[in-house]
């Protein structure tokens, strides 16, 4: 028994690297006593009188004050103030906040123009103004949620890994700073910067008070949901920042985990449609305290999509929003607060252990056969071989591997339900005569699955290409190998092309996932054979475009984190930002015209089609996964499938042309920055020989 306890204690000491000093044990005992008292006050407080509850929580606060006064509990240190000052002085964050405020003002102006044009023939009533305020509020909250979801990993995921890449983390660990002072200070400084971004929208939202205002409860709930999402994403980002060595890996893992959770949780909702599975393990004579339905509901407590569906369904069913919103918000807060707490605590406990293992542990060499299969001979393209095979790849923690495996399996779960329903309804029961064509229904269901899941997977792979390209040159600078690379006899175009192509090939293992989705679509006739080459061409064109943008920012940015941030912002701006510009121009075109006649309406219709199916990559990829029914001719309606296909092909050609143009600019800029421009001989003056 004692040997087992000693072995467990040794394992904890090696992996958590905790201190055995007297002050550390005093601190642990004090924190444990505070947590026990707080838990007692939380669970038993409902049975006590108000004065007793106030006294109990006052005791908890007094214990915290004693710990802080004695210096036994230090959550933050000088790193917090240094990081706050350093982040506040960076001009790019001020530029991002200004751009965000401009976007919100543009959306407000656009909505006002639309409402003005709809009501220019009559005076808007107070109820119309209140409806406009509500419309803008929901649009505002949607934009704010999407912006902070996109920016939080980019802001936070490089907090610790950036110190690793600059080789300054060892100096922080050599001081008397504790793990939590480093991790929590970095986390709080990033959260403070994101809070400033959230506060940008408050003055704009305050304009709505002059138009009838919005329910304060909805405003508080919207900001609470946004803040909780930021908190959990920041905790997840700091966890991966401690766990991996590179900022790009931490950013990609955070985005992948967040997207994977939404897909996994949303897919689990399909289990509720099977009563026998939802009530498992309950039987006819025994009711289990925890069933599959309870697990699915707990898993979806932090899923914003599921919560919105539940709220809308409750309102449609007659349940007041004031009753259902607090319950949903409580579950959302517990889920995301728990994720943030667990990730932050785990990052604090593992900071020194992970750093020591990365620094001093010997890397394990793979078997010779595996190395020979993974690393072919160098051949005639050494730079390309280096970028594809010699560069360190993204290494996943075992927790991340399990999560990725669950995500991949969950993406194929709907196929099982679709095939099971098809076989049960048409093959076994023989009820196809009353339900129409069974193969047509199977094709339609599989086509919907291919469009949704395939588009999400393709966009995740494109995001990985952009992040890898944004660090292609910055990594060489951080490792101080860029100068050595430039002194080689390799041509500038060869270096750039190798990094560009390696960025596209960095997600080549993900092609198997996407290929399996397409293969199932082809087998079940949910995907037309001609759609496969079009999808492949579209993905490669978008990947080439994003790789070019990433290489550009990696070349002109000083740090990898800055290059990644600008690459992500540019990617989102190019993909969906043109909608905002066009939407702001529509009211001006309507006002400037004599009247919105048929010709003008047709022009707006074609432009909107081109915007959606030609310039928006997710929509284009979703449409190109067609089954063939989209192009069937019907005498009673237009064949819009061919119009959408023409817009998609024109848009792809436009993206390819822009990529070629940007590649020329990247090549010229690279030669200028590296001093590799051709030296022209100076012309001799006339008469001087």
């Amino acid at each position: 028994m004692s040997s087992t306890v000693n072995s467990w204690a040794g394992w904890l000491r090696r992996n958590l690297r905790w201190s055995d000093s007297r002050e550390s044990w005093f601190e642990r005992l004090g924190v444990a006593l505070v947590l026990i008292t707080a838990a007692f006050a939380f669970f038993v407080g409902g049975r006590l009188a108000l004065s007793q509850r106030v006294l109990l929580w006052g005791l908890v606060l007094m214990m915290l004050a004693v710990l802080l006064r004695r210096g036994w509990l230090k959550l933050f240190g000088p790193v917090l103030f240094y990081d706050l000052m350093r982040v506040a002085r960076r001009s790019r964050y001020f530029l991002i906040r200004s751009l965000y405020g401009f976007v919100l003002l543009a959306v407000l102006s656009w909505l006002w123009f639309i409402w003005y044009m709809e009501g220019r023939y009559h005076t808007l009533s107070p109820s119309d103004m209140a409806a406009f305020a509500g419309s803008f509020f929901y649009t505002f909250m949607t934009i704010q949620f999407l912006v902070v979801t996109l920016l939080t990993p980019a802001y936070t995921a490089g907090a610790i890994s950036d110190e690793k890449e600059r080789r300054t983390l060892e100096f922080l660990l050599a001081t008397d700073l504790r793990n939590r002072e480093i991790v929590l200070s970095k986390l709080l400084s990033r959260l403070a910067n994101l809070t400033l971004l959230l506060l940008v929208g408050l003055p704009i939202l305050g304009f709505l008070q002059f138009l009838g205002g919005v329910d304060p409860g909805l405003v508080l709930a919207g900001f609470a949901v946004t803040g909780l999402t930021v908190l959990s994403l920041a905790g997840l980002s700091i966890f991966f920042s401690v766990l991996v060595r590179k900022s790009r890996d931490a950013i990609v893992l955070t985005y992948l985990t967040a997207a994977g959770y939404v897909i996994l949780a949303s897919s689990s909702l399909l289990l509720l449609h099977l009563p026998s599975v939802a009530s498992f393990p309950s039987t006819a004579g025994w009711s289990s305290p925890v069933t599959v339905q309870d697990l699915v509901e707990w898993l979806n407590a932090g899923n914003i999509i599921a919560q919105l569906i539940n709220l809308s369904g409750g309102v449609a069913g007659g349940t007041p929003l004031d009753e259902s919103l607090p319950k949903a918000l409580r579950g959302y807060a517990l889920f995301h607060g728990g994720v943030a707490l667990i990730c932050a605590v785990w990052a604090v406990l593992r900071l020194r252990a992970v750093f020591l293992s990365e620094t001093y542990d010997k890397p394990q060499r793979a078997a010779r056969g595996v190395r020979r299969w993974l690393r072919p001979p160098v051949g005639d393209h050494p730079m390309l071989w280096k970028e594809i095979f010699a560069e360190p790849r993204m290494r996943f923690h075992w927790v991340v591997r399990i999560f990725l495996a669950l995500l991949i399996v969950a993406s194929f779960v709907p196929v099982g339900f679709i095939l099971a329903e098809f076989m049960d309804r048409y093959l076994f029961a023989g009820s196809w005569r009353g339900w129409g064509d069974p193969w047509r229904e199977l094709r339609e269901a599989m086509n919907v699955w291919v469009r949704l899941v395939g588009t999400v997977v393709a966009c995740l792979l494109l995001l990985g290409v952009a992040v890898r390209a944004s660090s292609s040159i910055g990594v060489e600078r951080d490792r101080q190998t860029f100068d050595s690379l430039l002194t080689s006899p390799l041509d500038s175009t060869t270096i750039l092309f190798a990094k560009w192509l390696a960025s596209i090939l960095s997600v080549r293992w993900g092609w198997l996932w996407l290929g399996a989705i397409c293969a199932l679509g082809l087998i079940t006739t949910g995907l037309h054979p001609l759609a496969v080459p079009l999808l492949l061409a579209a993905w490669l064109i978008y990947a080439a475009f994003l790789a070019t943008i990433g290489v550009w920012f990696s070349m002109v940015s000083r740090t990898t984190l800055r290059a990644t941030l600008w690459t992500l912002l540019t990617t989102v701006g190019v993909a969906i930002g043109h909608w905002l510009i066009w939407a702001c121009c529509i009211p001006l075109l309507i006002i400037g015209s004599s009247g919105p006649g048929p010709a003008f309406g047709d022009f707006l219709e074609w432009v909107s089609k081109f915007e959606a199916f030609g310039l928006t990559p997710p929509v284009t990829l979703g449409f190109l996964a067609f089954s063939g029914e989209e192009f069937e001719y019907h005498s009673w309606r237009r064949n819009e499938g061919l119009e959408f296909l023409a817009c998609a092909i024109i848009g792809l050609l436009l993206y390819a042309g822009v990529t070629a143009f940007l590649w020329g600019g990247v090549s010229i800029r690279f030669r200028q920055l590296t001093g590799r421009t051709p030296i022209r001989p100076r012309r001799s003056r006339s008469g001087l020989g």
Side-chain angles (χ1 to χ4, degrees):
M1 183 67 180
S2 60
S3 61
T4 305
V5 173
N6 293 332
S7 62
W8 274 102
W11 182 86
L12 290 174
R13 191 178 294 107
R14 289 191 304 271
N15 288 272
L16 300 182
R17 307 287 180 181
W18 61 22
S19 175
D20 290 330
S21 63
R22 181 180 178 183
E23 292 80 6
S24 299
W25 281 109
F26 272 127
E27 178 185 359
R28 295 184 188 116
L29 291 176
V31 172
L33 185 60
V34 170
L35 292 178
I36 292 173
T37 308
F40 178 79
F42 180 78
F43 289 105
V44 188
R47 306 174 185 176
L48 302 177
L50 179 60
S51 59
Q52 294 174 336
R53 280 183 287 176
V54 171
L55 182 62
L56 193 57
W57 284 108
L59 179 61
V60 174
L61 294 177
M62 186 180 66
M63 294 170 62
L64 281 175
V66 170
L67 291 176
L68 293 173
R69 183 67 180 85
R70 297 286 297 177
W72 291 345
L73 181 60
K74 292 182 179 179
L75 296 179
F76 311 105
V79 178
L80 173 62
F81 305 100
Y82 169 75
D83 216 46
L84 282 174
M85 294 295 295
R86 186 180 65 172
V87 171
R89 292 176 179 177
R90 291 177 176 174
S91 58
R92 65 175 179 270
Y93 296 121
F94 175 77
L95 180 60
I96 291 174
R97 290 194 293 269
S98 302
L99 182 61
Y100 176 62
F102 172 76
V103 169
L104 292 179
L105 286 175
V107 171
L108 177 61
S109 303
W110 170 55
L111 290 177
W112 172 252
F113 271 120
I114 295 296
W115 278 75
Y116 172 77
M117 294 305 301
E118 291 180 353
R120 60 178 176 176
Y121 299 109
H122 65 276
T123 305
L124 294 177
S125 63
S127 60
D128 294 335
M129 302 297 290
F132 166 74
S135 176
F136 174 73
F137 169 74
Y138 290 117
T139 306
F140 166 81
M141 294 307 305
T142 302
I143 294 176
Q144 179 174 263
F145 185 85
L146 294 177
V147 168
V148 299
T149 302
L150 176 68
L151 293 182
T152 299
Y155 269 60
T156 316
I160 304 298
S161 56
D162 194 30
E163 300 286 346
K164 295 180 184 179
E165 293 179 353
R166 294 184 301 177
R167 300 180 181 178
T168 55
L169 183 59
E170 53 262 37
F171 298 108
L172 288 176
L173 297 177
T175 63
D176 58 349
L177 295 173
R178 302 179 184 181
N179 289 359
R180 61 176 172 273
E181 295 181 63
I182 299 174
V183 174
L184 296 182
S185 297
K186 292 279 188 180
L187 179 61
L188 185 60
S189 64
R190 265 58 176 187
L191 287 176
N193 201 347
L194 283 169
T195 304
L196 293 178
L197 184 67
L198 294 178
L199 294 178
V200 170
L202 283 180
I204 301 175
L205 196 62
F207 292 158
L208 300 182
Q209 302 302 323
F210 300 99
L211 303 176
V214 183
D215 185 4
L218 288 178
V219 177
L220 293 176
F223 275 89
V225 168
T226 305
L228 290 169
T229 306
V230 169
L231 188 63
S232 62
L233 283 176
L236 190 64
S237 301
I238 204 72
F239 169 73
F240 284 124
S241 185
V242 170
L243 207 62
V244 301
R245 298 186 181 185
K246 297 181 180 180
S247 299
R248 75 172 187 202
D249 297 348
I251 294 173
V252 170
L253 287 175
T254 304
Y255 283 122
L256 188 62
T257 305
Y261 163 72
V262 174
I263 297 174
L264 185 63
S266 302
S267 301
S268 66
L269 293 174
L270 297 174
L271 299 176
L272 301 181
H273 296 281
L274 300 176
S276 59
V277 177
S279 60
F280 182 83
S282 299
T283 60
W286 175 71
S287 179
S288 175
V290 179
T291 61
V292 173
Q293 182 176 358
D294 296 330
L295 296 177
V296 170
E297 291 177 354
W298 294 343
L299 180 62
N300 284 273
N303 185 3
I304 185 65
I305 299 177
Q307 294 302 321
L308 290 177
I309 293 175
N310 292 335
L311 288 176
S312 60
V315 172
T319 304
L321 187 61
D322 297 338
E323 296 181 6
S324 57
L325 184 59
K327 181 180 178 181
L329 188 60
R330 189 182 305 112
Y332 198 85
L334 290 176
F335 182 89
H336 286 277
V339 170
L341 180 62
I342 292 173
C343 291
V345 171
W346 191 256
V348 169
L349 294 176
R350 292 287 295 166
L351 177 63
R352 295 180 186 270
V354 170
F355 176 76
L356 291 176
S357 64
E358 292 175 350
T359 306
Y360 298 106
D361 287 359
K362 295 182 180 180
Q364 298 180 358
R365 300 184 62 185
R368 181 174 300 178
V370 176
R371 294 200 308 269
R372 188 173 299 173
W373 177 66
L374 292 178
R375 292 187 177 183
V378 178
D380 298 332
H381 304 283
M383 187 64 194
L384 189 60
W385 181 89
K386 166 189 173 295
E387 292 293 328
I388 297 177
F389 301 106
E391 283 291 324
R393 295 175 296 174
M394 185 182 301
R395 297 181 179 180
F396 298 127
H397 194 262
W398 63 270
V399 177
V400 182
R401 293 178 182 176
I402 294 176
F403 183 80
L404 289 178
L406 291 176
L407 175 61
I408 294 174
V409 172
S411 65
F412 293 98
V413 168
V415 178
F417 285 99
I418 293 173
L419 295 178
E421 183 179 3
F422 171 77
M423 297 176 67
D424 182 65
R425 178 180 294 180
Y426 302 118
L427 298 184
F428 298 152
S431 58
W432 62 86
R433 297 176 182 176
W435 293 89
D437 187 3
W439 296 104
R440 184 184 183 89
E441 293 188 7
L442 176 64
R443 179 167 61 250
E444 292 177 354
M446 289 299 300
N447 183 253
V448 172
W449 174 76
V450 171
R451 288 178 186 270
L452 295 179
V453 179
T455 302
V456 171
V457 174
C459 291
L460 288 177
L461 296 181
L462 290 174
L463 183 64
V465 171
V467 174
R468 168 62 190 271
S470 64
S471 61
S472 56
I473 298 178
V475 168
E476 301 284 353
R477 293 191 186 127
D478 296 336
R479 294 184 308 192
Q480 300 179 0
T481 57
F482 189 58
D483 294 337
S484 302
L485 186 62
L486 293 178
T487 56
S488 65
L490 295 173
D491 182 68
S492 299
T493 304
T494 303
I495 297 175
L496 275 180
F497 179 77
K499 291 187 173 296
W500 176 82
L501 184 59
S503 301
I504 300 176
L505 297 178
S506 62
V507 296
R508 56 189 180 275
W509 292 107
W511 295 347
L512 298 177
W513 187 7
L514 194 59
I517 295 174
C518 294
L520 284 176
L522 289 173
I523 294 173
T524 57
T525 68
L527 185 66
H528 198 276
L530 295 179
V532 176
L534 290 176
L535 284 172
L536 179 61
W539 191 92
L540 290 177
I541 289 174
Y542 292 142
F545 176 75
L546 295 180
T548 307
I549 292 178
V551 170
W552 168 269
F553 283 111
S554 180
M555 179 176 55
V556 301
S557 301
R558 295 182 180 179
T559 61
T560 303
L561 182 60
R562 184 180 302 181
T564 304
L565 180 62
W566 285 115
T567 301
L568 293 176
L569 289 177
T570 306
T571 300
V572 175
V574 172
I576 60 178
H578 52 83
W579 278 102
L580 179 62
I581 299 175
W582 173 243
C584 294
C585 294
I586 289 178
L588 299 178
L589 292 175
I590 295 177
I591 294 174
S593 62
S594 58
F600 187 76
D602 294 340
F603 171 74
L604 292 181
E605 181 182 359
W606 274 102
V607 172
S608 62
K609 290 179 181 179
F610 183 71
E611 287 277 331
F613 297 93
L615 300 181
T616 309
V619 179
T620 305
L621 292 172
F623 171 75
L624 290 179
F626 53 82
S627 62
E629 295 183 356
E630 297 83 354
F631 308 106
E632 293 181 355
Y633 175 76
H634 298 282
S635 58
W636 64 85
R637 64 177 176 87
R638 295 165 53 188
N639 192 349
E640 293 186 340
L642 294 177
E643 298 176 0
F644 296 158
L645 181 61
C647 293
I649 293 176
I650 295 174
L652 291 176
L653 294 177
L654 181 61
Y655 268 99
V658 172
T659 302
F661 176 77
L662 291 177
W663 175 256
V666 169
S667 302
I668 296 174
R669 184 63 173 170
F670 183 76
R671 291 188 179 93
Q672 292 176 352
L673 291 177
T674 57
R676 287 191 163 204
T677 55
I679 302 177
R680 298 179 180 178
R682 299 180 61 181
R683 296 180 179 179
S684 59
R685 297 182 179 179
S686 59
L688 297 179

